[in-house]
Amino acid sequence: MASEGDEAPLVGRTDILTSIQADLLAARPGGTAAVFVTGESGVGKSRLLREAADAMRAAGAAVLSGACLDIGDASPLHPVLQALRQAGAQPGPTEADPAQDGAGALLERVSRELRSLARGRRLLLVLDDLQWADRSTRQMLLYLLAGLGEITLSVLAAVRSESLHGAHPLRRVLAELRRLRSVRVVDLAPLDQDATAELVVAIAGDGVAPEDTARVFKRSGGNPFVADELARDLRDGRVELSDTLREIFLSRVDELPQHAHDVVHAVAAGVEPVEHALLARVLPLPEAELIEAVRAAVAHRFLTSAADGYRLRHQVVAEVLEHEVLPAEHAARHRRYAEALEAAPGEPDHARLAHHWQQAGEPGRALPSVVSAARAAEQLYGYAEAYRYWALALALTSDDRPERTELLGHAAETAHCCGEHQRALSTLEQLAARADGPGVCEIHLRRARYLAAAGRTATAEMEYERALAAPECSPAEKGSAAANLAELLVHLGRYADAGVRAREALELAERADGSTTDLVRASAALGFSLAFREDPDAGLAVIRQAVEIAERSGHPDDIGCAYLHLAELLTNPLNNVEEGVLVARRGAEKLAAIGQGRTYQTRLLAIAANGLFRVGQWAEARQVLDDAMRHRPSGADAVEILLSRCRLWVGFGELEAADRDLDAAATILAGGGARHVLPMLTLRAGRAMWQGRHDEARAAVQRGLTETRSDDLVLLAVLAWHGLRAEAEAQAGGEIPMDRAAVRRLQTVVERVARGAGNAAPPVRAVVDGYLDLCAAELSRIDERNDPDVWARAAQAWDRRKQPYPAAYARLRQAEASFARRTRRAAATTAIREAYATARAMGAQPMATEIIQVAARARVALTGDEDTTVSAAPAADDALSMLTEREREVLAAVAEGLTNREIGQALFISERTVGVHVGHIFDKLQVRTRVQASRVYLRAA
């Protein structure tokens, strides 16, 4: 249990606390006000009382606090007298007024003491555990709140609601007090899921997974005390319940009447909600006694009752009771549940029936229900649940049973559909090894689909080719192989090959009456190929027709495939970003509704995020990706999300996070085509350039140039731009020499892209031309011409395409070139200010930092309401005076040509710390490279 020094923050109660404080302050001079806070044990009543008392004390009220005792022989007015003693008063016997009886004298004496302590101030009397109040205390409350004490008084009391059942005397007191306008009763409800998650994160740290917070909410029912204890167990790595929780719940269960005790045990063993009729068959009690037992369990706050049945208020109760029940008792109770479900009229709930037979220790009787539950889940597209049932059915079946073959087939397919790709592959291999397993062609097709989904695209392509070449494959099976291969080739960026295979699939489907799924896949792939390479309108029409066919079929794979191709085509090569994002989101919603959240939905959300990135809506893109990551995607789905998120990390300048995502994507991709490999290498290059590591950027780009089979001119153009940019940065910085051979290879790629763009569809050509403009501008930097007009044209081109990030980058370089040539200063100032505003709006911190450095060197203010020139740059010796002693030591080592690692070893500091010092030095000296910093140092020396 947490100590007071380790108290968790108050969450989810701010509005209630404010309302209580307002009610307590409502008492006018000579008047009264009271708030009674009711709620179950652990819901936070005492904590709320403490917080409210502190707030009232800060507002100038005199605060007295007392607590009632859970003993039958407590002294009269114990909580009130306790509060007076803690305040320093000594209420003792006085000479009684003959006109008053003993009780009246006591009430008058206490009132007098309260008035004395108040000394004209507002007085707050805080009473905890009022359900245990003695008769005198209850009378005292009625006396004071009726205004008979002649004192401005507010009362704040906590009442445990589960204690107020039956003829509890406090119920009558509260009923009388409710009639007073100055009295308010607040029923404190448990925390909702969001507030519980906030509490868990506050205790266990920001690294808590969402599913862990959801589990704490489910187990605690939102009870803050229980959630607090479970969160500390989570933080400390404890799996079992703490002794504190176990003892508290066991003691409360032991206080129940016997039949209520049995009801709680029975509901704990059931699958909620437990219907009353089912409970009656499990517990053979007379109806009147059963109802009374349920009423007692509800009154003691163990159960909640609703129209559909009974539930435990806290799931922790089931965990506690499970360890207190004998194995034979456990099995017998579940057997009664299973028999009761079978005896009920109508179709049984197979999921519940399977659970109870399994818990009863009779797996043979559980198997039929497990299989029925799996089939029912499949019909509802609940593939994750279906896979769990098929896997359970396999666990209940021995290897020699003939039905195991069918079970393996279902388990493999549902594992694939719910994103468990490696499990799908391993289960498929078990299926292939069985003598009564499916044919060779079906194994090829399924293995290829599973491999592609797992990100192993090269191996998947080989499997499809084997199916197409296998003589035992029927025309329908070959049509399916061709359709799936066409879709795979689209994802590999090989659009010409994809078009060939798609046409082949459609011809085979027409001859062999192919399936709707094959028709959708082939049509979507053909449409993408057409739109990219030849005719956007014709290609879009084909894909939209595929979407219509998929929606009529209603099958998740068909819908997912069609929406993926349409959204990707619109957002990327055709640059119709707004419509593409809408299509991606609409498709994601449809697929989430039919159980494809972990697979197709995540990929569509990645496409939406990429589109939002291109139009500069980075914050919204980040939210979309956060939502997608909650599904915990795997395989190729995970790669799409990781690359999309990494693009944001690089843009934001969160380079360590970018490294993690790139490494994770590379680990998942055991092979892969241009659609994954080229973006990954481009992102590695971009990240390295912002870190000034141009040799790493060069290596990443040159590796990407080996991917020669892709038709995706956009990806190749982006890669070429990054490569030329890396060489231009090396040329400008001087620390790493430019590689002329690398530049020649990049120019060859640029020429290839330019030739291909001449034959591409106009929208694709427009996007490619934008990147070719950037390539031409980078070449002017490399040739030391750095023409601002070329950069200005590139910026205008990207403005027309409504993509602010490359436009801002081009304006930065336009301004830099103009400042270097000392020409067109006004235009350069406007350009750099526009670039800065764009970078700030998007959150592009690395770009904003470089813009600031360029503006500082040019002595240009970045806000329009300041002068465009600032004071002259400081002389070298003045500049060094701005450095700390440690920064001077680091700069001297930089001037000697030492690397960060060598500097760290010489100065006994970490390489990371050296990097921080170098960054500060660059900012203070208004330089960009180590060579420039060294020149400043050497001039000063």
Side-chain angles (χ1 to χ4, degrees), residues 128-144:
D128 203 358
D129 287 323
L130 195 63
Q131 71 278 357
W132 296 322
D134 58 274
R135 181 171 180 269
S136 298
T137 301
R138 298 193 297 269
Q139 288 182 334
M140 182 77 189
L141 281 176
L142 291 170
Y143 177 82
L144 293 174

Side-chain angles (χ1 to χ4, degrees), residues 884-905:
T884 65
E885 183 177 349
R886 176 62 85 183
E887 288 168 351
R888 288 191 182 200
E889 292 174 344
V890 171
L891 180 56
V894 168
E896 292 177 19
L898 300 183
T899 66
N900 284 4
R901 178 173 296 179
E902 292 168 338
I903 296 171
Q905 293 170 348

